[in-house]
Amino acid sequence: MLQNIFTDNNITWMDGKGTDSDIVLLSRIRLARNFKDLPFPNRASTEQLADARSRLLSVLDKISATTKTNYICLDMDKLTDLQKRVLVEKHLISGNFTKHSDSRSLIVNADSDISIMVNEDDHLRIQCMKSGLDLSDPMMTAFDTDNCIEEEYDIAFDDNMGYLTACPTNLGTGLRASVLLHLPGLAATNQIAKIINISPQLGLAVRGFYGSNAPGNLFQIANQLSLGFNEKELTENLSRAVQEIVSHEREARRALLAYAEDKVCDQAWRALGILKYARSLSERELLSLVSNVRIGIDEKIITSIDVDVFNKLIIAGRTNYLTNLQEKENMSQREIDKKRADIAREIISDSSSDKEVIS
Amino acid sequence: MLCDNCKKNDACMHITQINGNNKIDRYLCEECAAKYGDFIMQEHSENQPEIFSVNDFLSGIFNNSPNDQQTTPANAPPAGEEYACPSCGMTYMDFTRSGKIGCGTCYNTFRNRLEPLLRRIHGSSKHTGKIPHRAGKTLNIQQELALLRKQIETYVDSEEYEKAAQVRDCIRRLEKELNLNEGRS
Ligand SMILES: [Zn+2]
Ligand SMILES: [Zn+2]
C-alpha cells in the first residue's frame, strides 16, 4: 500500500459516487488540534516535536479500532522530495508541510480518506474526505478520531477562544470544511464571478482549485470563519451554499444545452478525440479537455465511457505523479507532456466500453 | 556547424525566432533545442496554483497599521511593553512578524491584544463549538444549560407548559451537577 499511495490514480475518496457527485467531487473536513503542554511546532524543540508525534502514535491503535481501519505512518524525512510532492498533489499533505522534515509525519489509512498530519502548523491536523456532497459523515469520523486523542491527552483549549491553534484564523473550532466543485456550466455562462463576489458575505471563500483561472473548471469552496459558530452551523452553512451553487450549475447546463447543444456536443466529442489520440498534453490542456468530456458524460452525450475516468485523469495528469511513475526526477517538460498523453490514452481506453486499439 | 547556444555540440536544428519585426535565426544542438522547447511550452503551461498564505495576510494587517509603518528605531515602543510569553518566550512582535502564535499560553498572555484581532478575523471572539471532555466538563454543562434556558423560553412563549416543565427539571439536574463539579475543584 505504501507503493500504491504514490502510484495509484484510483482514489476511494474521489470515486465519483455520492450525493450530487456529477457536480460535487469531494467533501473534506480538517480539524486543527494541539497538545496543551507543548509549544506549537513553530516554537517547539526537536524533542518536543518528537513528543507530539509519539503521543499520537500511542493512541493510534485506539483510533484504528474506533474508525475500523488500519493506518500507516509516513515519516517525511524518509520520503524523497518527489514522493512528498505526489502527496501534495493528492491533497494528503500541504505544501507547507514539505518545508520541514524533522518529526513530521503523515498518518494515513488504507483508503487514504482519513489522515493526520503531525507537526504541520499545529501538532495535529485531522483530515477526513468523502466523495460527493457529504460533510456530516467525515465530520463524525473527524470527531471520533479527535475524541480518541483527547481522552488520553489534554488539548490546548480556552473556554472563550476554543481550540487554540498556531494561526488565529483557525482558532475556535479549528475547523476547515471544504468542497470541490466542477462548474463548467457556470464558467461557460460567465457566472463564476457572482459566486466569488457573494461568498465573503456568507463567511465562505471560493478559489480555483488548480490556480487562479481555474483550469478544468474546478473550484474549491471553504468556510473562512472558525470561531463564533459551532461545527454544525459552519458545515450546514457551507452545504447550503453548495446546494445553491449546484442548482445554479444545473440551470446553466440546461440553458447551454437549450441554446447551444451542437456546440456542447462538438466540444465534448472533440475533447474525447484529442484525449484518445494526443501524443503530448500540458496539464492545463488535459484539465480543460477532461472537463469537456465530463459534461458530455453528465449530459448523456457520451455514453461509452465510465464517469470515474474524469477523477482518474485529474490525478493522473499531475506533473509530480507522472514523474514519480517514471521513477526519474527532473523529467523535461516535453517528456512529462508525452507521458501525460500516454496515461490519458490508457485510462480512456481502459474505461471505454467500445474497446478499440488506440495506442 | 556548432550549436549557437552551448557552442559544444553539433547543431542539428534550425529555429527561427520572430520578435516583432526582428527575425533571429538560431542553429541548435538536440539538447539545447529540447531546452528551448521546454521554455516555449512553459510559457503556455499552467502557473502553479496560487498559494494563499494566511500568514502573509496577517502580517499584511500589521504592516499596514500606522504604528508599524512609522515606527523607527528612535520612537520604538517602550521596552516595558515588550513582554514575552512566560511559557514559550514569544513576544507580540514575534507574532506580528510571523503571523503564528507560539503556544497555548500565548493566547492568555496576549489576550487583550488578540481579542480585537479575533473579532476582526471571525466577527466574534467567543467559541461555541465542540469542547474537549477533559478540559471542559463544566463548560459542557454550561453550554447545555444555555441551550435549555433558550428552549424553555420558546415553550413558555408557545404555552407548551408540560414540555417547559420537563426542560426545567433537566436544568435543575444539570445545575446540581455543575455545583458538585465546582465544589470538587
Ligand atoms: Zn547546444
Ligand atoms: Zn507562548
Side-chain angles (χ1 to χ4, degrees):
Chain A
M1 118 138 230
L2 188 64
Q3 280 318 303
N4 290 352
I5 203 164
F6 299 113
T7 54
D8 229 349
N9 61 37
N10 213 351
I11 295 191
T12 40
W13 45 261
M14 228 163 89
D15 60 3
K17 301 192 180 86
T19 315
D20 290 328
S21 61
D22 53 334
I23 293 167
V24 182
L25 304 184
L26 169 67
S27 300
R28 196 177 137 103
I29 292 289
R30 190 220 65 200
L31 292 177
R33 296 290 189 260
N34 288 283
F35 294 110
K36 187 183 176 187
D37 48 348
L38 292 175
F40 301 153
N42 75 84
R43 289 192 86 83
S45 66
T46 308
E47 293 76 37
Q48 288 165 326
L49 291 169
D51 192 358
R53 179 166 68 184
S54 58
R55 287 184 194 193
L56 179 71
L57 292 178
S58 76
V59 291
L60 202 54
D61 283 345
K62 198 168 165 185
I63 295 174
S64 200
T66 307
T67 55
K68 298 187 185 65
T69 167
N70 289 318
Y71 292 82
I72 54 160
C73 176
L74 299 173
D75 296 337
M76 288 301 122
D77 53 5
K78 295 192 191 98
L79 299 184
T80 64
D81 285 344
L82 187 58
Q83 287 177 319
K84 290 184 208 173
R85 291 200 298 268
V86 173
L87 295 179
V88 174
E89 282 177 355
K90 289 191 162 191
H91 303 281
L92 291 169
I93 63 174
S94 61
N96 195 17
F97 194 55
T98 62
K99 285 184 198 151
H100 312 274
S101 54
D102 190 18
S103 286
R104 266 74 179 179
S105 297
L106 174 74
I107 312 289
V108 57
N109 71 337
D111 288 340
S112 66
D113 59 341
I114 308 173
S115 60
I116 304 171
M117 259 192 290
V118 184
N119 291 325
E120 206 241 24
D121 269 359
D122 298 296
H123 294 142
L124 307 173
R125 289 272 174 100
I126 304 166
Q127 317 173 100
C128 300
M129 316 199 234
K130 182 135 191 239
S131 217
L133 176 58
D134 180 359
L135 289 164
S136 60
D137 188 68
M139 186 82 244
M140 257 154 52
T141 311
F143 274 173
D144 286 346
T145 308
D146 184 32
N147 289 338
C148 289
I149 301 160
E150 65 173 44
E151 271 165 29
E152 296 299 323
Y153 296 101
D154 283 330
I155 297 296
F157 182 84
D158 177 272
D159 285 1
N160 278 306
M161 295 192 260
Y163 288 96
L164 303 176
T165 54
C167 191
T169 49
N170 294 319
L171 197 74
T173 55
L175 170 71
R176 187 72 73 237
S178 62
V179 170
L180 174 58
L181 296 156
H182 179 228
L183 303 174
L186 291 173
T189 52
N190 289 322
Q191 296 183 81
I192 296 292
K194 273 192 223 165
I195 295 171
I196 293 180
N197 290 339
I198 200 161
S199 54
Q201 296 165 39
L202 302 169
L204 302 171
V206 181
R207 63 176 184 86
F209 192 55
Y210 290 132
S212 48
N213 41 13
N217 300 311
L218 293 168
F219 294 86
Q220 178 178 283
I221 176 163
N223 66 309
Q224 251 187 326
L225 313 177
S226 57
L227 181 65
F229 298 94
N230 66 36
E231 292 83 355
K232 193 156 179 273
E233 292 167 325
L234 291 170
T235 50
E236 279 175 358
N237 178 50
L238 176 59
S239 278
R240 264 196 307 277
V242 168
Q243 278 161 353
E244 185 83 359
I245 294 172
V246 165
S247 74
H248 284 298
E249 169 65 22
R250 289 198 207 287
E251 221 169 275
R253 288 186 189 188
R254 267 197 300 277
L256 273 180
L257 285 170
Y259 295 106
E261 193 181 354
D262 292 353
K263 199 178 167 205
V264 176
C265 261
D266 180 58
Q267 275 185 345
W269 283 113
R270 194 178 279 271
L272 181 60
I274 298 175
L275 285 174
K276 269 186 180 176
Y277 297 110
R279 265 27 187 194
S280 169
L281 287 171
S282 75
E283 197 159 16
R284 177 169 295 262
E285 188 183 10
L286 177 99
L287 286 170
S288 132
L289 294 170
V290 165
S291 174
N292 286 341
V293 169
R294 175 67 194 253
I295 189 170
I297 297 173
D298 287 342
E299 301 308 322
K300 313 274 182 292
I301 296 165
I302 298 173
T303 51
S304 54
I305 286 190
D306 295 340
V307 167
D308 67 348
V309 80
F310 176 73
N311 298 353
K312 276 188 191 163
L313 282 167
I314 291 176
I315 297 295
R318 308 301 289 161
T319 298
N320 293 311
Y321 169 82
L322 290 170
T323 314
N324 187 62
L325 277 188
Q326 292 294 76
E327 291 171 349
K328 167 176 166 192
E329 296 227 20
N330 305 318
M331 274 167 89
S332 72
Q333 189 76 41
R334 185 175 294 182
E335 287 174 298
I336 291 169
D337 289 350
K338 186 175 172 293
K339 180 76 189 167
R340 183 179 290 116
D342 292 347
I343 296 267
R345 290 202 308 278
E346 200 177 296
I347 291 176
I348 295 271
S349 124
D350 283 350
S351 61
S352 301
S353 46
D354 52 336
K355 294 265 186 241
E356 51 176 311
V357 184
I358 54 176
S359 53
Chain B
M1 180 182 216
L2 283 182
C3 165
D4 283 343
N5 190 51
C6 63
K7 314 234 170 6
K8 269 187 276 176
N9 307 329
D10 269 338
C12 64
M13 245 176 241
H14 174 211
I15 289 171
T16 309
Q17 205 178 353
I18 300 172
N19 297 327
N21 294 328
N22 286 340
K23 202 175 117 196
I24 307 164
D25 284 301
R26 307 189 77 189
Y27 296 86
L28 301 175
C29 70
E30 202 172 350
E31 204 176 305
C32 291
K35 276 191 209 143
Y36 178 79
D38 288 351
F39 170 69
I40 297 287
M41 305 271 234
Q42 252 157 19
E43 284 188 293
H44 299 285
S45 84
E46 54 292 321
N47 318 16
Q48 276 308 297
E50 238 181 295
I51 296 162
F52 171 71
S53 156
V54 178
N55 296 331
D56 294 347
F57 163 73
L58 281 179
S59 11
I61 292 185
F62 300 115
N63 292 337
N64 286 335
S65 74
N67 234 346
D68 274 17
Q69 240 163 25
Q70 285 152 17
T71 301
T72 55
N75 57 12
E81 238 179 76
E82 242 336 67
Y83 48 76
C85 168
S87 176
C88 74
M90 187 195 84
T91 65
Y92 199 75
M93 272 304 281
D94 289 338
F95 168 61
T96 62
R97 264 192 300 269
S98 70
K100 281 184 196 149
I101 300 286
C103 76
T105 314
C106 289
Y107 278 102
N108 233 331
T109 314
F110 304 106
R111 185 180 293 268
N112 293 339
R113 297 168 93 171
L114 285 171
E115 268 179 357
L117 176 71
L118 293 178
R119 275 194 292 276
R120 195 149 55 165
I121 298 171
H122 298 282
S124 163
S125 58
K126 178 81 186 102
H127 176 63
T128 60
K130 186 176 190 271
I131 291 163
H133 300 293
R134 291 156 67 91
K137 207 158 210 165
T138 56
L139 200 63
N140 263 321
I141 300 175
Q142 276 166 359
Q143 226 177 51
E144 204 174 324
L145 274 173
L147 208 83
L148 290 173
R149 288 190 183 117
K150 235 185 256 170
Q151 211 172 27
I152 212 168
E153 266 174 48
T154 52
Y155 282 140
V156 171
D157 284 348
S158 57
E159 300 186 8
E160 292 174 85
Y161 296 114
E162 238 170 82
K163 282 183 184 160
Q166 275 170 10
V167 174
R168 188 199 53 214
D169 291 345
C170 262
I171 291 179
R172 284 197 181 142
R173 205 170 337 111
L174 285 176
E175 278 173 343
K176 214 186 245 171
E177 204 178 313
L178 195 62
N179 286 336
L180 271 175
N181 271 341
E182 276 169 357
R184 218 182 289 149
S185 62

